[in-house]
Structure formats: structure tokens, C-alpha cells
Amino acid sequence: MAVSDHRQQNDGRSPELPEVIVLNAPLILTMFEDQLSSKFHLLKALDSELPLHQFLAVNAQSVRAMLCTVNGPPVTADILQLLPSLRLIVTTTAGINHIDVSECRSRGISVANAGDVFSADCADYAVGLLIDVLRKISVADRYVRKGHWANLGDFPLGSKLRGKRVGIVGLGRIGIQVAKRLEAFGCSISYNSRKKKDFVEYPFYANVCELAADMDVLIICCALTDQTRHMIDRKVLLALGKEGVIVNIGRGAIVNEKEMVECLVHGEIGGAGSDVFENEPDVPKELFELENVVLSPHLAIFSPESLEDSRDLVIANLEAFFSNKPLLSLQDPFF
């Protein structure tokens, strides 16, 4: 197959538009492909009959920019080796654990993420999960729908949010917005992060286990890295205690899921709200039977409004790159 024939993708679009290779199908591409395709020539791996490594080899010498997301093949050193001309990766997510950042650094490839686009929605969702777990909203809804209110009488009371001591693990863009929201509810905020933040007065804990021991709630907002994988383990959960609640809107593997399930099943922590899991979309079936657990299918960052903002940021980053202008959301602190 000739390179020019392959790049044409049978869609009639001119390859004179700046080329962007797409490894998977980001939701913004599904929703806004016309807007993206009007500005860039999209080389979509999913549309090719070639195996991925052959598809990449066909486009190796020309493609300089990539669009990707977390749901799909990770951007590994092997993939980057096949794209020697690549100089930019734009991901539609705030997290970049699906990209080999060290390899990008060594190859001079910039990484642009979602920046602050999803922070407000994610913070809202974290607070929503916490309120749901504490006040038993989802359980109460099921209680009413099943006719139990009329047949069995009053529903067990939940716990108030006001006055709770909340520990935020990862006081970044999302974590700081979670903190501000919970302050408005009358919660006291402390945090654990890679380093102390000079711009806040919240108490800082260098040790996440010590943070858990002093809190009623832990909210996980940090990125997944080699250092944070399974950082929330049985020791941390036991420090949180039998009345403690954990909420995870970061990444599933930050929590040792097996140990969390065991703690919940044995009543060693008070409850959990999770939007993320270790092996999505598979969720431990033990959680389905627990009424002190609220589950969500990795939706915290998404709303129609935030997806439109994400589309605009992706386009702006790609246009800036192809115009030799500064990127709008160059990922720190790696570059």
C-alpha cells in the first residue's frame, strides 16, 4: 500500500492539513470529529486494517503530533521508537500515567494534558460521592423504589458532612477545588502531597498514614505514578478507622483495591465512594452487596460543558504547536 494512498483514509480530506496520529478513540473525537477534521488530517489507527506497529511505521517519517487518551494502547517507548518525527503528544486527560514521560523527555517530545478543564466537574463529583456515602442517598433511593418505606418504616440515618475532618491526597488542580468546596460545608481540611504548598494554610502531612489516622475522610486526588501505586493500602485504611470514609476520583490503582475490599467487607472502614477501579471496567463483585459503598463508572470528569472545553483546548494546543507558539497546557513538572 502506498503511503499517500494510506494517508488519504478514503475520506476525501487533503493530507495538506497538519497530520495528527490518533491511537484510540477519545470521547471528544467521537463527539466532535467534524470540528477536529476540519483543522487537522487525522490518521486514525482504529480505521486502519494494518496492525498497529505497521500503521505507525507507515506514518513514521511525517507525523509530528499525536492525540490520545487513557483508554487505549499506552504510549510506550516501543511506540515512540516507531515515530521518530513525533514532537507532541496531546492527551485528553489530566492524568498522564498512560504515557512514558521519561521516554518523551529523552526524545524531546512535549506532552500537553487537559490542564484545568475537568477540575471543577471532578471536584463536584468528589463532593457528591462523599455526601452520597455519608447521607446514604443512593441506598435511600433504592429503599423508596422497592417500597420499603411504606412496608418497613423509617430509613436508617446517615452522617452529617459538616465538621468532618477531610484529608486530601494530592492538592493539585482538582484537590484544591475539592478543598474549597468542602470548606464551604464546614469541613476542616488537611492534605498530603509531594511537597508542602506555600499558597495554602491547610495542615500538611508528609506521611499519608499519619494523615489518615487524624481524618474522618480521605479523598484521593493525586496522579498515578510508580510512587503512588497502591499507596493507599491496608495500613492506611486501618489508620482511617471503622468510621472512616474513602473517596477515590484519582486512579483506581492508587488504592490497593483488594485490601480496600477486605476492609469494607470486614467493617474495618466505614464506607467508600469510587469513580475509578484497578481493572476497569471490571469492579470487584463484593462491592455490589455493600450499602456503604457508592460506585461510579469513571465519569467524574465528564459533562457536556467540560467536553466542549476539552475539544477547544486540544485544538488550541495543536494549533499552537503547528504555529510554533507556546502550548496552553504543557505538562509540569516533567518539561
Side-chain angles (χ1 to χ4, degrees):
M1 180 184 294
V3 171
S4 59
D5 292 341
H6 177 72
R7 286 182 187 160
Q8 193 64 30
Q9 298 282 318
N10 296 320
D11 62 1
R13 296 194 183 278
S14 169
E16 295 176 0
L17 291 171
E19 291 182 339
V20 178
I21 200 161
V22 185
L23 286 192
N24 39 34
L27 186 54
I28 66 161
L29 183 59
T30 304
M31 297 178 64
F32 308 115
E33 184 168 357
D34 286 347
Q35 291 97 315
L36 289 162
S37 295
S38 69
K39 295 177 178 291
F40 311 105
H41 182 58
L42 303 177
L43 305 170
K44 296 182 287 183
L46 291 178
D47 287 354
S48 174
E49 297 179 357
L50 297 174
L52 180 59
H53 70 282
Q54 291 184 24
F55 172 77
L56 296 175
V58 167
N59 297 286
Q61 299 306 316
S62 61
V63 69
R64 299 173 57 224
M66 174 189 291
L67 175 63
C68 69
T69 190
V70 70
N71 297 320
V75 185
T76 62
D78 290 340
I79 284 180
L80 295 173
Q81 187 174 4
L82 294 171
L83 297 170
S85 298
L86 192 70
R87 291 295 174 266
L88 173 68
I89 297 173
V90 177
T91 177
T92 60
T93 58
I96 57 170
N97 57 288
H98 55 296
I99 300 170
D100 189 331
V101 175
S102 296
E103 187 70 16
C104 287
R105 186 192 304 118
S106 68
R107 292 178 174 273
I109 300 170
S110 298
V111 176
N113 70 347
D116 211 27
V117 163
F118 298 119
S119 297
D121 283 351
C122 203
D124 291 346
Y125 213 89
V127 174
L129 285 172
L130 177 57
I131 293 174
D132 197 340
V133 174
L134 291 175
R135 297 300 304 273
K136 306 181 180 180
I137 295 172
S138 293
V139 185
D141 175 82
R142 294 193 292 270
Y143 191 83
V144 172
R145 290 175 185 270
K146 291 177 181 179
H148 293 339
W149 191 17
N151 296 326
L152 302 178
D154 292 339
F155 181 77
L157 299 178
S159 178
K160 69 190 297 182
L161 176 58
R162 184 173 182 82
K164 288 291 186 290
R165 300 167 299 164
V166 178
I168 297 176
V169 180
L171 201 69
R173 292 187 179 101
I174 295 170
I176 194 66
Q177 294 212 33
V178 172
K180 290 178 179 178
R181 283 157 174 74
L182 290 175
E183 270 195 297
F185 280 95
C187 297
S188 62
I189 308 297
S190 301
Y191 73 100
N192 163 268
S193 216
R194 285 177 299 176
K195 57 184 179 181
K196 192 175 187 295
K197 310 290 185 180
D198 294 333
F199 59 87
V200 298
E201 296 182 357
Y202 308 133
F204 169 70
Y205 286 72
N207 184 290
V208 71
C209 196
E210 293 176 3
L211 175 70
D214 288 346
M215 298 297 117
D216 303 304
V217 177
L218 276 188
I219 300 183
I220 313 305
C221 301
C222 62
L224 176 61
T225 66
D226 290 341
Q227 291 71 40
T228 63
R229 183 177 296 275
H230 284 186
M231 177 173 63
I232 308 301
D233 57 12
R234 178 174 176 80
K235 182 179 179 182
V236 174
L237 294 168
L238 291 180
L240 183 60
K242 292 185 176 182
E243 301 299 322
V245 170
I246 184 167
V247 171
N248 190 1
I249 44 111
R251 285 286 188 268
I254 297 168
V255 177
N256 187 317
E257 193 169 81
K258 180 180 178 181
E259 294 182 355
M260 182 188 72
V261 170
E262 290 174 353
C263 287
L264 286 163
V265 168
H266 295 120
E268 292 171 315
I269 59 173
S274 190
D275 182 54
V276 288
F277 304 90
E278 280 207 57
N279 300 298
E280 297 174 357
D282 295 328
V283 177
K285 292 181 172 55
E286 297 93 329
L287 298 179
F288 298 167
E289 306 301 321
L290 300 176
E291 294 198 335
N292 58 341
V293 175
V294 178
L295 308 172
S296 171
H298 206 147
L299 287 175
I301 65 173
F302 294 127
S303 69
E305 297 86 352
S306 67
L307 286 168
E308 290 176 359
D309 291 341
S310 176
R311 171 204 61 196
D312 293 344
L313 181 60
V314 164
I315 290 173
N317 271 317
L318 289 170
E319 288 182 333
F321 170 75
F322 288 117
S323 302
N324 294 315
K325 295 179 180 178
L327 299 173
L328 280 73
S329 58
L330 183 65
Q331 175 60 32
D332 288 328
F334 302 104
F335 297 92

